[in-house]
Amino acid sequence: MKISVVSPTVRRGGLSMLADCLMRQTLKDFEWVIVTRRLDFWDRKVEIPKTTLIWEPKKKEGDYYNLNKAWNAAFRHCGGELIVNIVDFTWIPPNTLEKIWTNHEA
């Protein structure tokens, strides 16, 4: 596997746009690791191959928010040579992962 795409989200519908963008990527050798605490993170029925869903780690007393714990939980499940972090409500062109991979190889 070349790339692991990591996306934490806590917002309703937050990954719908990104899911559509990932389905259109020219580089297909990637996995998607999603960390969330809700199940309505996308609005449409979209199947993304090689997707891992991780439940967000619990906050401890005194924690302001949980984003760093979410990133770390996701990183433990990544199998790609390169990790790309893309947050919710993000649009990317169809050749984004290909360009990132090409730059990584260079």
Side-chain angles (χ1 to χ4, degrees), residues 87-103:
V87 298
D88 55 7
F89 290 102
T90 300
W91 177 89
I92 59 173
N95 62 347
T96 299
L97 295 182
E98 185 176 355
K99 283 184 171 186
I100 290 171
W101 182 255
T102 301
N103 190 41

Side-chain angles (χ1 to χ4, degrees), residues 1-3 80-84 96-106:
M1 175 118 15
K2 290 183 177 180
I3 295 178
E81 181 178 327
L82 181 66
I83 297 173
V84 176
T96 299
L97 295 182
E98 185 176 355
K99 283 184 171 186
I100 290 171
W101 182 255
T102 301
N103 190 41
H104 167 69
E105 284 187 307

Side-chain angles (χ1 to χ4, degrees), residues 35-37 54-60 63 66-74 76:
V35 184
T36 189
R37 64 174 174 242
I54 302 168
W55 200 249
E56 182 182 286
K58 227 177 184 178
K59 281 186 187 181
K60 293 182 181 171
D63 287 349
N66 226 18
L67 185 57
N68 290 334
K69 289 179 185 174
W71 289 118
N72 289 332
R76 284 191 286 275

